[in-house]
Amino acid sequence: LLVERSDFAAGTSSRSTKMVHGGLRYIGEGHLGITREACRERDLLVKHNPHLVRPVPLLFPAYRGSKVPLWQVRTVLSLYSALANFRRSSRFRMLDPREVAEFCPDLRREGLRGAGLYCDAQVDDARLVLESLRSARAMGAEAVNHAEATAFERDQRGRIATVRLRDTLEGRSLSVRTHAVVNAAGPALDRVRGLDRPVERPTLRPAKGVHLVIPRHRIKISSGVTFEGRDRRHLFVLPWDEVAIIGTTDAFSDEIDEPVCTIEEVHYLLSAANEAFPRAALTTNDLRSVFAGVRPLLADPDEDTPSSSVSRELRIEKSPSGLISAAGG
């Protein structure tokens, strides 16, 4: 039985960058194991869910003085291909400035040294959640939304034996007997841990990612394109049907239920996009919508570590009462 406090996919699972990516940038952080696993999982999702997960080409340009020079782009993509066991999905090719201009005419040409063209994948994230639920139900599971876990009750051995639930639509309460309880609450993981015992040290330090949605025609792209922000972070613009998604910021956030997009974050993304695509001259008038999702990152012992450098690893913990918590990832 899966119980969801809000609606299915109401949180990060519908507010992502709509990518199933192989973790190219994690190579720069030294997280090679995560990149290898991400590539494998991406390829499995493309294979088994072709109606939801589709390959998308990505352009990785390099400029004079950019954070990643052209020779490093080639090196990183070669390592990326090796970590994916040289599968077809990991193939890439290098483009010279003329080929880049033909491929993406709106991209800034001043100082352009070339680019790497590789492949990742896009997904309708909310639909993937619903398809997973349908598959689980077909195999005998059940899922209930608008059902919030409010308390745990223990047996004589101190093990969790009952979960108290609240129907948030009708206000009624009920109890469910359990054999095992898995806490997979994403950014709200520590909130659920608090139902079991006081949380002395948070497991997570959530980080917010803001995205902008603009009309597709405002930037002429036939693929996704990476570009740098003023702080040299790598950002994306990605085609998505008749719109394009620009993202994403990466900053720690205390708000996990309804993360807001500030005007400063909007201007940061617009400014970076306009520098990368000067002919677009984007303004806030071009915005179709904005949205933000929260990454359930593991808390780093060093509080000065920026959120973009925090490990994306998954950690599974089991409390003395038997509560299994899946954190991070």
Side-chain angles (χ1 to χ4, degrees):
L1 170 67
L2 171 73
V3 294
E4 163 62 49
R5 184 185 64 161
S6 185
D7 201 356
F8 298 130
T12 307
S13 297
S14 62
R15 301 177 186 179
S16 75
T17 316
K18 318 300 180 192
M19 287 193 71
V20 178
H21 64 82
L24 177 67
R25 74 174 188 82
Y26 302 152
I27 293 176
E29 304 293 342
H31 301 151
L32 303 186
I34 296 178
T35 301
R36 182 184 294 109
E37 181 181 4
C39 286
R40 182 176 67 245
E41 294 297 322
R42 176 201 60 199
D43 293 345
L44 283 172
L45 282 168
V46 171
K47 177 181 178 181
H48 294 299
N49 303 274
H51 59 302
L52 293 179
V53 187
R54 60 182 184 271
V56 59
L58 279 167
L59 191 69
F60 193 148
Y63 290 86
R64 183 172 53 249
S66 62
K67 182 180 179 180
V68 183
L70 189 61
W71 69 268
Q72 281 191 7
V73 172
R74 185 190 300 273
T75 301
V76 167
L77 289 177
S78 297
L79 181 55
Y80 191 57
S81 180
L83 290 171
N85 289 331
F86 302 103
R87 290 186 293 271
R88 179 179 298 180
S89 61
S90 68
R91 294 175 184 172
F92 71 95
R93 64 188 179 100
M94 302 301 294
L95 307 181
D96 60 34
R98 179 186 57 81
E99 292 173 312
V100 174
E102 292 176 355
F103 192 82
C104 186
D106 280 354
L107 190 66
R108 175 169 61 91
R109 302 183 189 183
E110 181 184 355
L112 180 64
R113 292 300 181 87
L117 183 64
Y118 67 104
C119 193
D120 248 323
Q122 283 186 303
V123 62
D124 186 327
D125 47 10
R127 280 194 63 198
L128 184 62
V129 171
L130 297 180
E131 293 256 353
S132 299
L133 293 176
R134 290 183 61 188
S135 295
R137 281 175 167 160
M139 297 169 70
E142 187 50 272
V144 182
N145 56 0
H146 301 288
E148 180 179 9
T150 58
F152 297 140
E153 298 175 1
R154 296 174 175 80
D155 60 18
Q156 294 178 343
R157 298 176 300 161
R159 309 275 295 179
I160 297 175
T162 302
V163 178
R164 294 282 296 171
L165 303 177
R166 183 173 67 90
D167 181 338
T168 61
L169 296 180
E170 298 184 5
R172 61 195 177 100
S173 297
L174 64 154
S175 297
V176 177
R177 299 281 297 173
T178 67
H179 295 288
V181 181
V182 177
N183 173 11
L189 177 119
D190 284 326
R191 188 181 293 163
V192 177
R193 284 183 61 218
L195 301 178
D196 179 36
R197 56 180 174 168
V199 178
E200 298 178 357
R201 179 177 296 178
T203 305
L204 301 181
R205 194 175 181 195
K208 178 178 66 171
V210 171
H211 306 78
L212 312 181
V213 181
I214 62 171
R216 172 79 174 267
H217 69 271
R218 292 293 286 113
I219 299 179
K220 294 181 177 63
I221 52 173
S222 54
S223 70
V225 182
T226 70
F227 57 96
E228 289 184 8
R230 59 173 176 264
D231 54 358
R232 310 198 82 177
R233 283 194 63 253
H234 280 111
L235 307 173
F236 292 96
V237 58
L238 296 157
W240 185 255
D241 296 331
E242 77 279 3
V243 299
I245 298 173
I246 300 173
T248 174
T249 62
D250 198 344
F252 294 120
S253 172
D254 293 327
E255 176 53 55
I256 61 174
D257 292 323
E258 290 297 335
V260 298
C261 305
T262 67
I263 191 63
E264 291 79 13
E265 290 164 330
V266 170
H267 284 161
Y268 164 79
L269 292 173
L270 284 177
S271 175
N274 281 330
E275 187 169 341
F277 306 94
R279 287 195 283 187
L282 299 171
T283 71
T284 52
N285 292 330
D286 292 305
L287 299 180
R288 288 274 186 89
S289 68
V290 298
F291 64 93
V294 180
R295 307 172 184 86
L297 302 183
L298 292 170
D300 194 286
D302 183 0
E303 292 188 355
D304 293 330
T305 301
S307 57
S308 59
S309 299
V310 173
S311 172
R312 266 55 175 175
E313 289 180 318
L314 177 71
R315 181 192 301 159
I316 298 177
E317 299 177 344
K318 188 172 183 178
S319 74
S321 66
L323 178 67
I324 300 168
S325 296

